């Protein structure tokens, strides 16, 4: 009998073997039914997380939680998956709301509800929320057919010496996710400046450093830790490659070694047993595997098997007209972030199996699948 469960380690010789175990037609129909259900419910779902306070319309990630910039972006991107807008908002209102979050001097987007620390150094991208909002708001505006009002000055003005010093000082030994997060922001700032403001500053220095610092054995950046195993480097790999290699359509240095490491990590029960699944950890395995398979067929059958098992697990936790919780099994905590992330994850998992067309939607914004900009030699 073949092993079962999302953590099973298994090898297949042909695609037919995996199809015989779990017919693609059945899963395709399940995905189609799920996509139709989400399409029918997303308007009511978004309305559940919307409210009016002090005569202002707003979104909260979950009812009763503090306001965040991200909640607006998640709402915009969920609606964009179905080529729509959040209910009760016009395109112009959403654009104006998002654009007003940007600081016109730095080009960053600090959260007024959770301001940066007093010792924040915006010129070094030191505030985590400001970094993520550059992605979230920049891409949400793109889905609305608009853009940031100002260039990302702190990225445009960072010279190569400062960049290399920052890259070398990132916490690669114990917090490789933090390193990937910083690079994701920096690379996205370059992209936004190039596309929206005609900047000639390219990521050549960044890719030079990344190419020379990728570990040839693991295919990742950063080191595993005693406490979390490969969690930090794998999750950092997703953030790092999302903003750089995937965004600019550049081949990865060692895709087969990356696959070996990521698949080994995917069997760690601390993070991938059914009760422990959260959106970050699953996304940060699914997208790297998807990205690596653009360059190689290495272990494709095993990856498809893992993705099918994960899909069957994830789909069980959809809450009608409420969506997904970030921590999948905690269905009482559904929210905009969990819903946007898991809908994107379902698409990536389905695409790993060649079944994404069954869903009837595609991720938009920060989790879109296509490259944002293909670099050309100048």
């Amino acid at each position: 009998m073949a092993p079962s469960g999302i953590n099973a380690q298994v090898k297949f010789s042909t695609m037919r073997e995996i199809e015989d175990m779990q017919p693609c037609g059945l899963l395709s129909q399940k995905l189609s039914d799920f996509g139709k259900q989400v399409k029918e419910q997303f308007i009511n779902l978004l309305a559940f997380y919307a409210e009016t306070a002090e005569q202002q319309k707003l979104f909260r990630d979950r009812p009763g939680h503090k306001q965040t910039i991200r909640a607006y972006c998640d709402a915009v991107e969920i609606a964009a998956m179905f080529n729509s807008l959040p209910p009760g908002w016009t395109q112009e209102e959403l654009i104006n709301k998002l654009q007003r979050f940007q600081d016109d001097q730095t080009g960053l987007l600090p959260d007024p509800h959770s301001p940066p620390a007093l010792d924040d150094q915006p010129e070094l991208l030191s505030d985590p929320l400001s970094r993520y909002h550059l992605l979230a708001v920049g891409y949400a505006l793109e889905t609305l057919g608009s853009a940031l009002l100002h260039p990302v000055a702190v990225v445009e003005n960072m010279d190569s010496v400062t960049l290399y010093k920052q890259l070398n000082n990132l916490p690669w030994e114990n917090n490789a996710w933090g390193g990937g997060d910083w690079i994701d922001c920096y690379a996205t700032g370059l992209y936004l400046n190039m596309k929206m403001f005609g900047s000639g500053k390219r990521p050549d220095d960044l890719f030079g450093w990344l190419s020379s610092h990728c570990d040839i054995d693991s295919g990742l950046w950063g080191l595993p830790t005693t406490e979390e195993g490969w969690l930090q480097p794998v999750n950092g790999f997703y953030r790092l490659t999302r903003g750089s290699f995937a965004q600019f359509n550049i081949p990865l240095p060692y895709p087969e070694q990356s696959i070996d490491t990521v698949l080994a990590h995917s069997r760690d029960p601390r993070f991938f047993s059914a009760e422990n699944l959260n959106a970050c950890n699953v996304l940060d395995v699914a997208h790297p595997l998807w990205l690596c398979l653009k360059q190689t067929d290495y272990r494709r059958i095993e990856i498809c098997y893992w993705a099918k098992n994960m899909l069957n697990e994830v789909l069980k936790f959809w809450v009608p007209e409420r969506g997904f919780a970030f921590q999948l099994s905690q269905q009482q905590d559904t929210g905009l972030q969990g819903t946007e992330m898991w809908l994107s994850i379902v698409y990536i998992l389905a695409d790993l199996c060649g079944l994404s067309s069954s869903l009837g939607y595609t991720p938009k914004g920060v989790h879109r699948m296509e490259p944002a900009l293909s670099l050309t030699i100048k």
Side-chain angles (χ1 to χ4, degrees), residues 315-328:
L315 295 179
K316 294 186 296 188
F317 287 93
W318 174 263
V319 178
E321 298 191 349
R322 299 293 182 268
F324 287 110
F326 177 84
Q327 185 79 23
L328 191 63

Side-chain angles (χ1 to χ4, degrees), residues 171-190:
W172 298 112
E173 291 187 1
N174 58 15
N175 182 18
W177 179 90
D181 168 74
W182 194 93
I183 289 170
D184 197 359
C185 170
Y186 175 81
T188 299
L190 290 177

